[in-house]
């Protein structure tokens, strides 16, 4: 399949907030262009994107996966759901042996084991690391476990059945696994290369963290008992962020294989995944300290480009920090438009490149010249998804 990439750029202004904390509780930062910037890590935003799929029902639950150390308990639930006559202890044993057959190491958690010595049942084994499996993979492993329930140890010792366990774990990947990949150090042959790369979001301007000193009053304090019930501080900043992600559509198609449903064209699951990713990237928001700050904003501008060749970030438009008087969005939008046009002129291929723009307000006016304007996010995602499907249907 020919290489094809989807670049997604966004400018998003966030008021006082602490979206993503470091080990001291302060908002994460980075130095870029010689000055400190606000930063939201790629891991924080990828987590927000992935959970948003389910929160907004953007994809069928069968097309999503679960990442957990409690993979034995999760698989045991699938086993008992398939056959209610299987006792819970038996289901846990079947699940543990099946997970081990895939090559994933498990052990009872030490803390819970110590607690159970004096009283209570032994805890279920857990994987030593987070394991990412799709709903269909879990169902397939549950069926395999029940097939060998008469003697699961002997059943899974055979080379054929052990190979079947690995094959189930490495086929019919969920959309989130296909997008974000999977790494299992002990079983490298079931690893999945990520189709999407998400950059650390950084502010387009210099940012210095601030600290809010707050107090909480005890409602039962008597008038003579002056003073606060507690005092504390919370760090925050505010910023106009440049956000970027690159989606390798060809890698996504390869990861999804022939599709998650038997009765649909091969391009359909890719189209659905692309539309869900673009919407989730645009609308999702990390939830760090969100109850404290209520920083619920949407991007002021989104630019999506479908291109061959390789991905291109426009972050260098802000290497010289924006210094705008009375705001940063207008200058950031102007810079982004000018820089993107220069880059496309120097490196782009107008024959194979398409660009769409979704923007809000007059401050983002210059971005309209980059491509086809969409009225709303639904129109944007539909147009991008259809363009991807059309490209995939072309003969190589």
């Amino acid at each position: 399949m020919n290489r094809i990439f989807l670049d997604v750029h966004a400018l998003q202004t966030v008021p006082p907030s602490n979206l993503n904390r470091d080990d001291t509780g302060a908002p994460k930062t980075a130095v870029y262009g010689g000055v400190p910037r606000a930063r939201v890590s790629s891991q924080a935003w990828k987590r927000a994107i992935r959970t948003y799929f389910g929160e907004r029902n953007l994809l069928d639950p069968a097309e999503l996966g679960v990442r957990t150390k409690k993979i034995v308990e999760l698989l045991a639930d699938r086993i008992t759901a398939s056959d209610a006559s299987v006792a819970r202890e038996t289901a846990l044993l079947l699940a543990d042996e099946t997970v081990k057959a895939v090559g994933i190491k498990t052990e009872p958690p030490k803390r819970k084991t110590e607690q159970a010595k004096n009283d209570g049942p032994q805890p279920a084994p857990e994987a030593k690391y987070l394991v990412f499996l799709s709903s269909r993979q879990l169902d397939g492993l549950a069926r395999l476990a029940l097939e060998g329930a008469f003697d699961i140890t002997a059943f899974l010792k055979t080379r054929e059945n052990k190979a079947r366990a690995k094959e189930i774990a490495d086929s019919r990947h969920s959309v989130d696994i296909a997008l974000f990949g999977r790494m299992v150090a002990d079983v490298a042959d079931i690893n999945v290369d990520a189709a999407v790369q998400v950059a650390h979001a950084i502010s387009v301007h210099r940012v210095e963290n601030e600290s809010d000193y707050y107090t909480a009053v005890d409602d039962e304090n008597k008038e003579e008992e002056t003073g606060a019930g507690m005092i504390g501080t919370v760090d925050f900043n505010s910023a106009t962020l440049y956000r970027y992600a690159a989606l390798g559509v060809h890698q996504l198609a390869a990861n999804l294989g022939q599709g998650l449903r038997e009765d649909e064209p091969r391009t359909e699951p890719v189209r659905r995944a692309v539309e869900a990713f673009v919407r989730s990237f645009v609308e999702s928001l990390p939830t760090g300290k969100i109850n404290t700050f209520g920083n619920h904003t949407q991007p002021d501008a989104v630019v999506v480009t479908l291109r061959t060749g390789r991905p291109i970030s426009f972050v260098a438009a802000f290497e010289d920090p924006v210094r705008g008087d009375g705001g940063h969005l207008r200058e950031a939008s102007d810079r982004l438009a000018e820089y993107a046009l220069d880059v496309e002129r120097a490196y782009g291929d107008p024959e194979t490149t398409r660009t769409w723009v979704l923007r809000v307000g007059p401050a983002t006016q210059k971005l309209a010249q980059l491509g086809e304007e969409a009225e709303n996010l639904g129109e944007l995602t539909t147009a991008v998804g259809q363009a991807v499907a059309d490209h995939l249907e072309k003969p190589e």
Side-chain angles (χ1 to χ4, degrees):
M1 179 183 296
N2 295 329
R3 285 160 56 92
I4 179 173
F5 295 94
L6 201 67
D7 289 329
V8 188
H9 316 262
L11 290 175
Q12 184 165 356
T13 298
V14 184
S17 58
N18 190 341
L19 293 175
N20 185 207
R21 286 168 276 176
D22 65 16
D23 57 338
T24 70
K28 289 185 177 180
T29 59
V31 174
Y32 183 63
V35 302
R37 314 286 185 111
R39 175 173 67 92
V40 181
S41 71
S42 60
Q43 297 92 331
W45 225 302
K46 281 191 283 188
R47 166 73 177 172
I49 292 167
R50 192 165 62 81
T51 56
Y52 198 74
F53 290 148
E55 290 171 2
R56 287 295 303 274
N57 297 317
L58 300 181
L59 293 164
D60 189 295
E63 296 180 295
L64 296 173
V66 178
R67 189 178 66 177
T68 181
K69 288 185 177 181
K70 298 180 180 180
I71 195 65
V72 173
E73 291 182 79
L74 191 62
L75 183 54
D77 291 341
R78 297 296 177 107
I79 291 169
T80 54
S82 296
D83 187 344
S85 67
V86 178
R88 180 64 178 174
E89 286 188 10
T90 302
L92 288 170
L93 173 64
L94 295 176
D96 190 35
E97 292 297 324
T98 305
V99 167
K100 288 177 179 175
V102 175
I104 298 166
K105 295 179 181 178
T106 66
E107 64 180 8
K110 291 181 181 178
R111 179 177 57 82
K112 293 181 180 179
T113 301
E114 289 295 324
Q115 292 174 350
K117 278 184 178 179
N118 299 324
D119 185 31
Q122 287 297 311
E126 294 182 1
K128 294 183 177 181
Y129 34 75
L130 292 170
V131 178
F132 204 176
L133 289 176
S134 75
S135 178
R136 293 176 186 273
Q137 288 163 356
L138 287 166
D139 287 340
L141 290 173
R143 288 192 294 270
L144 182 68
L146 287 169
E147 185 181 332
F150 59 92
D151 188 347
I152 192 66
T153 303
F155 178 76
L156 291 173
K157 270 187 178 179
T158 67
R159 182 178 299 177
E160 177 190 357
N161 289 329
K162 190 172 287 188
R164 286 174 63 194
K166 283 192 176 183
E167 182 183 1
I168 291 169
D170 196 32
S171 59
R172 309 199 79 180
H173 299 303
S174 59
V175 169
D176 42 5
I177 291 176
L179 284 167
F180 298 108
R182 177 175 67 194
M183 199 282 284
V184 183
D186 294 332
V187 205
D189 50 350
I190 69 167
N191 288 349
V192 179
D193 291 332
V196 69
Q197 300 168 349
V198 177
H200 291 240
I202 63 168
S203 64
V204 302
H205 52 88
R206 181 187 186 99
V207 165
E208 300 289 351
N209 286 344
E210 300 180 67
S211 186
D212 177 41
Y213 172 84
Y214 66 89
T215 64
V217 177
D218 188 329
D219 291 344
E220 292 298 311
N221 265 6
K222 304 288 191 298
E223 286 187 12
E224 62 272 16
E225 295 176 359
T226 60
M230 69 165 290
I231 60 174
T233 60
V234 58
D235 292 337
F236 67 93
N237 60 35
S238 58
T240 296
L241 300 170
Y242 170 74
R243 300 171 50 206
Y244 170 72
L247 171 58
V249 176
H250 55 285
Q251 183 67 55
L252 175 63
N255 289 351
L256 288 175
Q258 293 302 309
L260 297 170
R261 302 175 188 170
E262 306 292 346
D263 58 344
E264 64 183 5
R266 67 182 183 86
T267 60
E268 185 60 18
V270 181
R271 182 194 63 76
R272 280 202 313 276
V274 166
E275 290 187 13
F277 173 76
V278 172
R279 178 176 285 275
S280 190
F281 176 84
V282 172
E283 290 194 316
S284 63
L285 191 67
T287 56
K289 290 286 183 182
I290 204 157
N291 288 340
T292 300
F293 293 102
N295 46 270
H296 297 281
T297 65
Q298 294 279 27
D300 300 281
V302 179
V303 179
V304 181
T305 300
L306 188 65
R307 68 171 79 249
T308 56
R310 76 170 184 83
I312 301 176
S313 168
F314 297 145
V315 69
F318 312 110
E319 194 269 342
D320 178 22
V322 171
R323 295 174 174 81
D325 296 325
H328 300 100
L329 179 60
R330 185 181 299 277
E331 185 179 341
S333 297
D334 291 351
R335 285 223 212 151
L336 181 59
E338 292 165 8
Y339 184 79
L341 288 171
D342 287 343
V343 169
E344 295 296 354
R345 183 173 59 252
Y347 298 105
D349 181 358
E351 297 294 323
T352 59
T353 301
R354 287 188 66 184
T355 299
W356 299 264
V357 177
L358 175 65
R359 60 181 193 82
V360 178
T364 60
Q365 179 65 47
K366 279 194 176 180
L367 288 169
Q369 62 191 306
L370 294 182
E372 307 166 42
E373 277 207 86
E375 287 291 323
N376 52 59
L377 184 56
E379 183 180 309
L380 174 72
T381 57
T382 299
V384 172
Q386 188 57 56
V388 165
D390 292 344
H391 184 91
L392 294 177
E393 287 171 356
K394 292 178 183 176
E396 295 186 22

